[in-house]
Amino acid sequence: MTGDLLTAMTECDAALIATPSSELREVLGRMRASRFEQPVIWACKGFEQASGRLPHQVAAEVLEKRAACGALSGPSFALEVAQGRPTALTLAAADAAFARRWARELHHPTLRVYFSTDLAGVEISGAVKNVMAIAAGISDGLGLGLNARAALITRGLAELTRLGVALGGRPETFMGLAGAGDLILTCTGDLSRNRRVGLLLAKGESLEAILKELGHVAEGVYSAPAVEALAAEKRVDMPITRAVCAVLFRGTPPRDAVQELLARDPREEA
């Protein structure tokens, strides 16, 4: 075991990168500079803050046309994975053979890995679900109840799917582990940092104080503006995302944001 990246790269058959999305570009750049030629898989879930790009888009820029790479995603708190508790994930890559091979390689008695070629859909799911988890935390923090949480998760899935399809993802991806599965976990699990952000916002704490208290990256905070911008660009209606951004960045009190959501005109469910 080593804490030195260059040493680790000389001794491995593949690299699994588990950094925040904001650090992916730097790590990939160091790997490219060191002429690392082994397969690369990342477990980042979110948009790069500076560019608004998804991890596979960052990788394409840094690694150029290299095909031996993919994303590992799905409902997984790192602590439970480390404890050997049963977990199911999805390994996505544009190259079907790569996705299939490395799903098998990562498969383990307590880690079931599926494979997919819908790289965009899997990554969009991982980014948007964090935004919805902030909304779920706000709902729970305000004491709005289990009915409200269930409605929020369901409508959050609808938003995720609409945007994902508009960006080229496949509808079935959003009903699977990377979509509905990760959304449910992150919106309900006590280990969710993004849900924790929402809980503390509902109690009136400032975003700055919350992020300082967490001590870890809450990807939803940085993904929310990118999701809102993409929704506007693609003309996709995402009212929950807009409400989260209003609370995070525009000074809207959490309870007012909820009231604005509830006051919207009725529409056909879709």
Side-chain angles (χ1 to χ4, degrees):
M1 181 178 294
T2 177
D4 181 73
L5 178 61
L6 295 179
T7 301
M9 287 192 298
T10 63
E11 301 174 354
C12 68
D13 297 322
L16 176 58
I17 304 172
T19 66
S21 298
S22 59
E23 305 298 326
L24 179 62
R25 185 181 296 274
E26 179 187 351
V27 174
L28 291 176
R30 291 172 64 188
M31 297 175 77
R32 179 181 176 183
S34 301
R35 301 184 183 278
F36 183 77
E37 298 295 336
Q38 303 295 349
V40 177
I41 299 167
W42 51 84
C44 311
K45 297 179 182 178
F47 290 89
E48 185 179 45
Q49 187 177 1
S51 68
R53 288 176 172 79
L54 288 163
H56 79 272
Q57 295 170 321
V58 173
E61 288 183 3
V62 178
L63 302 178
E64 297 180 338
K65 296 182 179 181
R66 176 177 177 163
C69 58
L72 187 65
S73 192
S76 53
F77 289 136
L79 177 62
E80 292 195 359
V81 175
Q83 291 172 338
R85 300 193 180 193
T87 302
L89 300 173
T90 299
L91 189 289
D95 184 329
F98 177 91
R100 185 180 298 108
R101 179 200 167 183
W102 283 97
R104 290 197 182 105
E105 292 285 350
L106 294 171
H107 202 74
H108 183 270
T110 60
L111 186 67
R112 182 168 180 80
V113 184
Y114 294 80
F115 59 88
S116 170
T117 56
D118 187 8
L119 184 54
V122 165
E123 289 193 333
I124 291 161
S125 296
V128 178
K129 62 91 182 179
N130 285 328
V131 181
M132 298 305 157
I134 294 174
I138 290 173
S139 177
D140 289 346
L142 292 174
L144 302 184
L146 299 178
N147 293 348
R149 184 204 284 175
L152 191 148
I153 292 173
T154 306
R155 297 313 303 164
L157 180 59
E159 289 194 18
L160 188 162
T161 302
R162 285 198 296 268
L163 181 64
V165 170
L167 293 173
R170 298 198 295 264
E172 62 268 24
T173 298
F174 308 112
M175 299 299 114
L177 289 167
D182 211 358
L183 177 68
I184 292 167
L185 178 70
T186 314
C187 286
T188 62
D190 290 336
L191 293 175
S192 168
R193 290 191 294 270
N194 294 286
R195 180 173 178 270
R196 178 71 175 162
V197 169
L199 288 168
L200 295 174
L201 286 169
K203 296 182 183 300
E205 294 193 28
S206 70
L207 181 59
E208 182 181 4
I210 291 168
L211 296 180
K212 184 176 181 180
E213 178 182 333
L214 282 179
H216 297 281
V217 174
E219 292 276 16
V221 174
Y222 306 109
S223 291
V227 174
E228 186 178 40
L230 281 171
E233 177 186 330
K234 298 295 182 179
R235 298 185 179 181
V236 174
D237 187 29
M238 299 188 72
I240 298 173
T241 298
R242 288 198 303 273
V244 169
C245 286
V247 173
L248 288 174
F249 308 116
R250 296 193 280 273
T252 301
R255 197 171 293 277
D256 290 356
V258 171
Q259 289 303 317
E260 289 176 16
L261 278 174
L262 292 174
R264 296 169 65 242
D265 288 337
R267 55 172 292 173
E268 182 180 6
E269 184 175 24

